[in-house]
């Protein structure tokens, strides 16, 4: 049997230099990103803009037609034609506005659909270290609330700004036709207000970015609490968690208020600008009419144009506010696009892993070193071999590096140096999809997905036959549970499997792993929550699995692994010793102490595994 090399635990091993940090790509200007979201829909958006402009044109013509009506009334001419034309323009403008609104909303929904698809695709494929350091609630808020802000900015905001600018230009031209002097008065007022807005609008973007971060903090606080609801309730921590979430809500409230103040200020300025322009035109125009240099009908038409400006100015201001809000959210969405992802996990054979594995390959660790960021080395030069088709148990005190090795085996993390080989091939040279297709992993927590028992069983092997399912249920002794349930395999397990006991969740996780027919089976304390009878049955199932795959177990209860072909003792990220249970009891002090503390050896170092009903 191949055994592990065991360097002394006290050896000082030089550490490799930390890998260089990959520089982040230069940030793309938020406005360019926003336009990129809108670009695939530019044809529809252009058509929408044309409809808006047509509706605006109908509105622009109305004051001129009204002037003709007034002139006709004063001259005693017929006004039926102009009145009918005015009515037709009103109806046409309303119809075009309705059609434009439908097209715009439909495009808006398509934009947010694509944004959310892209975000979900990347978030699900984020690398494990990135997921470990970011609260799930904050990431979720980027898919929900941030994407909605970008949705509005990339469609409605752009259309509103374009419509506002073009409509204002059209109105300015026609106002110049009516009277250039009054146009100068109006322009002076509007330019003064615009200068103030230029200073205010960027503050909206900053406030929205802070508000969205605060919303993410609220989501993170709720995720923390609801994800451990039973722990919270059992410890009477509802008040503390409510206070913690309340602080996040208060932060979101304050950030939201800051943005609301700037938005309100912009609305006030836009309203004041129209009113100030109206009063200035009324005063100057009234003086001109009194002096006889301006017709009253022309003044009325010009005042109608001033009132008409309220709509495009409002559209421009609202669109700019929407753009600033969207630009504030774009930054958070773009952060996701710069987060490292696993781009080699999509396996076209996914779900078809019920085909018998081609063999039970050996697994080798060759001088593997690894450190978590900001922590002491977890592995300091691990080397050992697991022969194919055998059971190897990893034992040692907590923090020795056992679970870290499982994480490296599945490429959740990458070693700083060294190699991990399956069947002689360095897994770093294989796509992650291929590595994980060959491995089945039963986590210590035995997580269960919301859904039915059958959904969970087929989660990694959607093509499994009913016979395959019946076999793993029998091996894990879940068949008796299924028989007792009214809905059988279609029984809902609840969120995170809350309707199942800890032992049932553990057996379900093991059954799910066995159903994949893996080449390598990783079991992290897989029997920790089982009673003696079910533990014995699971050991028998693992023994059967070892006939067709390589099994590596992590165990703190040595009674579950005394029959393993090889036991590797770890200490402080190093291999301390390796051998069979009997060999280690004789040769290694730490293992003998662990076995003695669990009553597996007598004071005279006599192996009493048989008395403990441990298979040898």
């Amino acid at each position: 049997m191949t055994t592990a090399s065991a360097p002394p635990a006290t050896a000082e091993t030089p550490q490799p230099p930390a890998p260089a940090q990959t520089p982040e790509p230069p940030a793309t200007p938020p406005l360019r990103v926003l336009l990129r979201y809108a670009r695939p829909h530019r044809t529809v958006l252009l058509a929408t803009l044309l409809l808006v402009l047509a509706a605006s044109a109908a509105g622009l013509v109305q004051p001129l037609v009204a002037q003709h009506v007034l002139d006709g009334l004063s001259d005693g001419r017929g006004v039926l034609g102009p009145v009918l034309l005015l009515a037709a323009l009103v109806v046409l403008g309303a119809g075009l506005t309705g059609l434009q609104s439908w097209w715009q909303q439909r495009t808006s929904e398509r934009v947010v659909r694509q944004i959310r698809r892209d975000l979900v695709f990347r978030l699900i494929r984020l690398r494990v270290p990135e997921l470990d350091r970011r609260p799930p609630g904050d990431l979720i808020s980027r898919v929900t609330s941030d994407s909605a802000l970008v949705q509005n900015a990339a469609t409605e905001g752009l259309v509103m700004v374009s419509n506002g600018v073009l409509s204002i230009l059209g109105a300015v031209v026609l106002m110049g036709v009516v009277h250039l002097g009054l146009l100068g008065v109006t322009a002076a007022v509007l330019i003064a207000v615009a200068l103030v807005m230029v200073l205010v609008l960027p503050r909206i973007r900053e406030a929205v970015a802070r508000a969205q971060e605060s919303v993410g903090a609220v989501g993170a606080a709720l995720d923390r609490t609801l994800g451990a609801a039973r722990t919270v309730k059992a410890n009477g921590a509802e008040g503390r968690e409510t206070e913690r979430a309340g602080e996040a809500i208060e932060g979101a409230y304050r950030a939201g208020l800051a943005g609301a103040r700037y938005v309100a200020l912009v609305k006030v300025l836009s309203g004041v600008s129209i009113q100030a322009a109206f009063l200035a035109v009324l005063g100057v125009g009234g003086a001109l009419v009194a002096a006889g240099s301006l017709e009253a009908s022309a003044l009325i038409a010009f005042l109608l144009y001033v009132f008409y400006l309220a709509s495009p100015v409002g559209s421009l201001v609202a669109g700019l506010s929407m753009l600033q809000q969207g630009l504030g959210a774009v930054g958070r969405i773009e952060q996701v696009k710069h987060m490292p992802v696993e781009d080699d996990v999509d396996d076209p054979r996914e779900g078809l892993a019920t085909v018998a594995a081609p063999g039970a390959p050996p697994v080798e660790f060759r001088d593997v070193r690894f450190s978590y960021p900001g922590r002491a080395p977890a592995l300091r030069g691990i080397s050992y071999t697991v022969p194919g088709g055998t059971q190897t148990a990893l034992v040692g005190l907590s923090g020795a590096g056992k679970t870290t090795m499982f994480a490296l085996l599945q490429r959740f993390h990458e070693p700083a140096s060294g190699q991990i080989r399956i069947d002689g091939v360095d897994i770093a040279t294989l796509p992650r999809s291929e590595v994980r297709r060959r491995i089945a992993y039963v986590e210590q927590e035995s997580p269960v997905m919301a859904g039915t028992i059958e959904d969970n069983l087929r989660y990694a092997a959607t093509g499994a036959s009913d016979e395959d399912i019946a076999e793993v249920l029998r091996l894990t002794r879940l068949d008796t549970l299924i028989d007792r349930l009214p809905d059988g395999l279609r029984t809902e397990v609840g969120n995170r499997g809350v309707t199942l006991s800890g032992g049932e969740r553990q057996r379900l996780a093991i059954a799910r792993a066995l159903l994949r027919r893996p080449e390598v089976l990783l079991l992290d304390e897989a029997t920790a929550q089982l009673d003696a009878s079910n533990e014995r049955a699971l050991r028998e199932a693992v023994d059967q699995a070892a006939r067709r795959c390589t099994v590596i177990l992590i165990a703190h209860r040595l009674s579950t692994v005394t029959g393993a072909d090889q036991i590797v003792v770890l200490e402080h990220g190093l291999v301390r010793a390796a051998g069979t249970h009997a060999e280690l009891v004789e040769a290694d002090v730490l293992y003998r102490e662990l076995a003695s503390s669990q009553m597996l050896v007598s004071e005279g170092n006599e192996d009493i595994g048989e008395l403990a009903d441990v298979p040898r």
Side-chain angles (χ1 to χ4, degrees):
M1 177 179 67
T2 305
T3 58
S5 59
T10 57
E12 290 297 331
T13 307
Q15 297 304 310
Q21 295 292 327
T22 303
E24 289 191 5
T28 305
L31 183 57
R32 185 178 299 176
V33 175
L34 201 64
L35 293 174
R36 189 172 68 217
Y37 288 131
R39 189 173 298 121
H41 309 278
R42 57 184 177 272
T43 301
V44 178
L45 289 175
L46 180 59
T48 301
L49 178 59
L50 291 177
L51 287 177
V52 173
L53 293 176
S56 298
L60 281 171
V61 175
Q62 289 175 27
L64 292 178
V65 176
Q67 182 180 2
H68 285 297
V69 171
L70 293 173
D71 289 338
L73 290 173
S74 63
D75 295 341
R77 291 183 279 107
V79 294
L80 179 59
V83 168
L84 291 177
L85 177 59
L86 188 59
L89 290 172
V90 171
V91 173
L92 177 63
L96 292 174
T97 300
L99 181 58
Q100 168 267 328
S101 177
W102 159 244
W103 280 9
Q104 182 173 288
Q105 291 301 317
R106 185 182 63 177
T107 305
S108 177
E109 292 300 326
R110 290 177 176 176
V111 168
V112 77
R113 178 182 64 182
Q114 190 57 49
I115 292 173
R116 287 171 175 165
R117 280 177 174 172
D118 293 344
L119 285 174
V120 167
F121 182 89
R122 291 191 65 85
L123 289 176
I124 290 176
R125 288 162 179 77
L126 284 184
R127 295 190 179 182
V128 171
E130 195 71 26
L131 289 169
D132 288 344
R133 71 185 187 90
R134 293 186 181 274
D138 177 64
L139 295 176
I140 292 170
S141 72
R142 301 176 194 233
V143 180
T144 53
S145 59
D146 287 345
S147 63
L149 291 177
V150 176
Q151 164 197 14
N152 293 331
T155 54
E156 187 175 0
L158 290 175
V159 170
M160 291 177 72
V161 169
S162 301
N163 172 54
V165 169
L166 295 176
S167 296
I168 289 173
L169 289 177
V172 166
V173 170
L174 293 177
M175 290 166 78
V177 171
V178 175
H179 198 279
L180 286 174
L182 294 180
L183 174 60
V185 172
T186 306
V189 174
L190 295 181
I191 289 173
V193 175
L195 291 176
V196 179
M197 287 190 179
V198 168
L199 300 176
V200 174
L201 286 173
R203 305 290 182 89
I204 297 176
R205 182 197 310 185
E206 298 169 4
V208 167
R210 290 194 299 269
Q212 292 304 106
E213 290 174 1
S214 300
V215 170
V218 174
L222 277 178
D223 179 78
R224 161 195 159 93
T225 303
L226 299 180
R230 283 166 171 74
T231 302
V232 172
K233 294 180 181 297
N235 289 277
E238 291 92 342
R240 295 195 301 275
E241 293 299 332
T242 300
E243 183 178 355
R244 178 190 293 268
E247 291 174 357
I249 292 171
E250 185 66 22
Y253 168 74
R254 289 194 297 268
L257 277 187
R261 281 195 295 269
Y262 290 122
V263 171
L265 178 58
V266 167
K267 289 185 176 180
V268 169
L269 289 173
S270 64
V272 166
S273 66
I274 298 301
Q275 294 300 324
F278 173 79
L279 293 176
V281 168
L282 184 61
V284 175
L288 293 175
V289 169
S293 58
L294 179 67
E295 295 290 335
S297 61
L299 175 60
I300 293 173
F302 198 95
L303 289 174
L304 288 176
Y305 274 121
V306 173
F307 277 122
Y308 169 82
L309 278 178
S311 177
V313 166
S315 176
L316 177 61
V317 170
L320 289 173
S321 299
M322 210 173 284
L323 281 179
Q324 294 300 322
Q325 293 172 6
L327 294 176
V330 158
R332 286 169 46 82
I333 290 178
E334 284 297 289
Q335 282 181 358
V336 175
K337 295 193 174 182
H338 292 151
M339 294 177 190
V341 297
E342 298 177 339
D343 54 5
D344 55 355
V345 295
D346 294 297
D347 187 354
R349 293 170 294 180
E350 183 181 358
L352 303 178
T354 53
V355 179
V363 177
E364 304 168 72
F365 280 75
R366 294 187 176 184
D367 194 28
V368 174
R369 303 169 188 270
F370 176 78
S371 299
Y372 293 100
R375 294 169 57 182
L379 302 180
R380 300 192 291 157
I382 290 287
S383 296
Y384 66 90
T385 298
V386 180
T390 65
Q391 293 186 48
T392 289
L394 307 179
V395 303
L397 300 176
S398 295
K402 303 181 294 295
T403 301
T404 296
M405 282 191 284
F406 276 16
L408 295 178
L409 251 175
Q410 296 171 95
R411 296 192 63 192
F412 293 159
H413 299 275
E414 301 294 335
S417 64
Q419 291 184 341
I420 303 173
R421 293 173 172 262
I422 295 180
D423 206 12
V425 180
D426 186 353
I427 63 173
T429 65
L430 299 173
R432 289 179 177 84
S433 60
E434 175 65 16
V435 174
R436 294 169 189 171
R437 183 187 64 81
R438 303 173 71 177
I439 296 174
Y441 176 38
V442 180
E443 301 173 59
Q444 187 171 3
E445 297 82 6
S446 302
V448 174
M449 311 293 286
T452 66
I453 293 177
E454 184 176 14
D455 292 337
N456 276 275
L457 287 170
R458 295 183 183 274
Y459 192 71
T462 55
S465 66
D466 293 342
E467 293 75 16
D468 293 331
I469 292 177
E471 176 65 12
V472 297
L473 291 176
R474 184 188 64 77
L475 288 174
T476 54
R477 292 196 178 183
L478 279 172
D479 50 349
T480 54
L481 169 67
I482 302 302
D483 291 340
R484 293 198 309 267
L485 297 172
D487 295 326
L489 287 172
R490 292 181 173 81
T491 300
E492 294 284 341
V493 299
N495 185 40
R496 307 189 185 188
V498 294
T499 64
L500 302 176
S501 69
E504 289 166 348
R505 287 197 299 272
Q506 207 157 33
R507 283 182 283 158
L508 180 56
I510 294 171
R512 180 172 60 200
L514 294 176
L515 193 60
R516 294 188 63 184
R517 297 185 181 273
E519 298 175 30
V520 179
L521 177 61
L522 307 180
L523 302 173
D524 190 350
E525 284 293 320
T527 60
Q529 300 186 54
L530 300 181
D531 54 45
S533 175
N534 281 313
E535 180 184 316
R536 188 180 303 111
L538 258 298
R539 289 207 305 269
E540 294 172 0
V542 171
D543 289 340
Q544 292 188 36
R547 297 173 186 171
R548 60 175 183 248
C549 70
T550 302
V551 179
I552 308 177
L553 312 91
I554 292 175
H556 290 102
R557 290 163 56 182
L558 299 186
S559 63
T560 63
V561 298
T562 54
D565 299 292
Q566 176 181 220
I567 299 175
V568 177
V569 184
L570 300 169
E571 185 178 35
H572 304 310
L574 292 168
V575 173
R576 176 188 173 95
T580 64
H581 170 70
E583 292 169 346
L584 292 172
V585 167
E586 292 295 328
D588 187 72
V589 174
L590 176 60
Y591 185 84
R592 185 164 57 249
E593 290 177 353
L594 292 173
S596 176
S597 68
Q598 298 181 30
M599 303 181 66
L600 293 179
V601 295
S602 66
E603 292 183 0
N605 292 343
E606 178 184 353
D607 190 338
I608 58 174
E610 294 289 345
L611 298 178
D613 190 26
V614 177
R616 304 303 306 277

